[in-house]
Amino acid sequence: MNIPQSVIWEKGAIQLLDQRKLPHVTEYVTLDTVPAVFDAIQSLAVRGAPAIGIAAAFGVALSAMSHPTGDIDELKEQVLIDSGYLSQSRPTAVNLFWALNRMNDAVTRAVTADELRESVVAEALAIQKEDEDVCRSIGEHALPLFKDGDRVMTICNAGSIATAKYGTALAPFFLSKERGLQLSVFACETRPVFQGARLTTWELMQAGVDVTLITDSMAAHTMKTKNITAVITGADRVAANGDSANKIGTFGLAVLAKSFGIPFYIAAPLSTFDLDTPNGDAIPIEERNPAEITEVNGMRIAPEGIAVFNPAFDVAPADLITGIITEKGIVKPNEQAIAKLFA
Ligand SMILES: CSC[C@H]1O[C@H](OP(=O)(O)O)[C@H](O)[C@@H]1O
């Protein structure tokens, strides 16, 4: 089974699958500078909370290799400045800050310049390998939620290319093929940049998973007429009380799932939880370029001068979430249960 990876560390540089060009062009580009990593994250060449964190982590490794000084204090200062720059690339996915904090700790612990350069590469590779193991574990915990013939809706792309490998929300579907379980996925196209239409369909079709594409506006009618048995999505930040930020449109699916009496699951690694964010109202919601809405493939579809509101995320409140699937198991979306994950 072909399960693609979007971020590969090779010969001291990042080989990045440019997700903006999928599904028609499968192109890996080489990133070997911090600004190139920043631009790749901000432009969604690399996207998906864990993948953003992994790319930024390798960005810190590139920083350490780009400053030739042998003075450890000077090198630490320069690399931490670059890390701070990378932290400004996107505001919502907490994995970016979680990964950079881990990298900053590795920088701070280093005693010599050579040790710093070695340790940041090792730490970034460790973050990537851990995420791959975590995502497979999320898939293992998610799979028993589904039975043969189930029809599951998802939005955006929380697949292998949004993580180190396997994905979060899509992980059970990849594993279902290995286990002979027949699941059908209904993928919302995910306006405005079509992560569902371009990426989720591409990943699942390559893996031989049954997938049907719908527009976001078809979600309610599809739940009503296609016997959807569950909804599963990824997350970009889970607040301490279980409120979960994810791609715009997720909140609406949670409301619809409640209305239709079907379970709504969030799949997220512990690296996506942020105990310092008390609830969903405190999660920063990225607003992106209006052109993402007024243009499709560079062709303008809305009148010049139209006002645009383009929030990239919304928040599913904890009371609409059936369970949050993590590498440690499925947790109820409440403060006590979440706190136990980190105890
Ligand atoms: C496995 S995290 C995937 C998560 O990230 C996506 O956002 P974006 O495409 O803007 O990076 C989306 O919210 C997915 O659910």
Side-chain angles (χ1 to χ4, degrees), residues 149-196:
D150 272 359
R151 296 165 159 223
V152 186
M153 186 177 291
T154 191
I155 191 168
C156 200
N157 172 261
S160 186
I161 58 177
T163 66
K165 192 176 181 182
Y166 295 108
T168 55
L170 298 193
F173 304 123
F174 293 126
L175 294 186
S176 70
K177 287 302 289 181
E178 293 179 5
R179 312 288 164 81
L181 195 65
Q182 178 58 40
L183 298 178
S184 296
V185 180
F186 285 75
C188 296
E189 66 176 353
T190 318
R191 283 283 283 148
V193 298
F194 300 105
Q195 290 94 329

Side-chain angles (χ1 to χ4, degrees), residues 1 146-154 169-170 172-178 180-188 196 199-214 222 226-230 232:
M1 182 190 312
F146 307 120
K147 63 184 183 301
D148 206 46
D150 272 359
R151 296 165 159 223
V152 186
M153 186 177 291
T154 191
L170 298 193
F173 304 123
F174 293 126
L175 294 186
S176 70
K177 287 302 289 181
E178 293 179 5
L181 195 65
Q182 178 58 40
L183 298 178
S184 296
V185 180
F186 285 75
C188 296
L199 308 177
T200 291
T201 56
W202 177 75
E203 285 198 76
L204 294 179
M205 288 177 75
Q206 284 199 81
V209 175
D210 179 62
V211 56
T212 301
L213 175 62
I214 63 172
T222 303
K226 293 295 183 181
N227 185 30
I228 299 298
T229 49
I232 186 169

Side-chain angles (χ1 to χ4, degrees), residues 145-146 230-234 263-267 320-325 330:
L145 295 172
F146 307 120
V231 178
I232 186 169
T233 80
F264 177 88
Y265 295 107
I266 293 281
L320 296 180
I321 299 171
T322 308
I324 305 176
I325 308 161
I330 301 171

Side-chain angles (χ1 to χ4, degrees), residues 44 46-50 52 90 155-159 162-163 167-169 193 195 233-236 245-248 250 267 286 288 312-313:
L44 307 191
V46 57
R47 37 108 354 242
I52 290 171
R90 293 187 76 190
I155 191 168
C156 200
N157 172 261
T163 66
T168 55
V193 298
Q195 290 94 329
T233 80
D236 292 82
N246 194 56
K247 184 52 51 200
I248 190 76
T250 303
E286 178 185 12
R288 292 184 60 85
F313 302 96

Side-chain angles (χ1 to χ4, degrees), residues 50-250:
I52 290 171
I54 291 163
F58 284 124
V60 173
L62 289 173
S63 167
M65 293 159 61
S66 69
H67 297 294
T69 180
D71 182 300
I72 181 63
D73 293 326
E74 184 182 342
L75 182 58
K76 284 183 178 180
E77 183 182 6
Q78 290 171 339
V79 173
L80 291 174
I81 288 169
D82 285 342
S83 178
Y85 169 63
L86 288 166
S87 73
Q88 298 170 44
S89 52
R90 293 187 76 190
T92 303
V94 75
N95 299 64
L96 173 63
F97 311 103
W98 172 86
L100 289 174
N101 285 339
R102 262 189 67 166
M103 296 305 292
N104 294 346
D105 289 346
V107 169
T108 305
R109 284 195 301 268
V111 175
T112 68
D114 287 345
E115 181 200 346
L116 189 152
R117 292 187 180 96
E118 286 170 15
S119 63
V120 291
V121 172
E123 190 71 10
L125 288 168
I127 288 171
Q128 183 175 43
K129 179 63 174 73
E130 288 166 25
D131 187 68
E132 178 177 334
D133 296 341
V134 157
C135 286
R136 187 170 179 97
S137 177
I138 287 172
E140 294 288 356
H141 288 299
L143 205 52
L145 295 172
F146 307 120
K147 63 184 183 301
D148 206 46
D150 272 359
R151 296 165 159 223
V152 186
M153 186 177 291
T154 191
I155 191 168
C156 200
N157 172 261
S160 186
I161 58 177
T163 66
K165 192 176 181 182
Y166 295 108
T168 55
L170 298 193
F173 304 123
F174 293 126
L175 294 186
S176 70
K177 287 302 289 181
E178 293 179 5
R179 312 288 164 81
L181 195 65
Q182 178 58 40
L183 298 178
S184 296
V185 180
F186 285 75
C188 296
E189 66 176 353
T190 318
R191 283 283 283 148
V193 298
F194 300 105
Q195 290 94 329
R198 296 185 301 109
L199 308 177
T200 291
T201 56
W202 177 75
E203 285 198 76
L204 294 179
M205 288 177 75
Q206 284 199 81
V209 175
D210 179 62
V211 56
T212 301
L213 175 62
I214 63 172
T215 66
D216 304 330
S217 55
M218 295 174 186
H221 184 67
T222 303
M223 286 183 191
K224 180 183 177 184
T225 59
K226 293 295 183 181
N227 185 30
I228 299 298
T229 49
V231 178
I232 186 169
T233 80
D236 292 82
R237 189 178 307 214
V238 180
N241 73 338
D243 293 347
S244 297
N246 194 56
K247 184 52 51 200
I248 190 76
T250 303

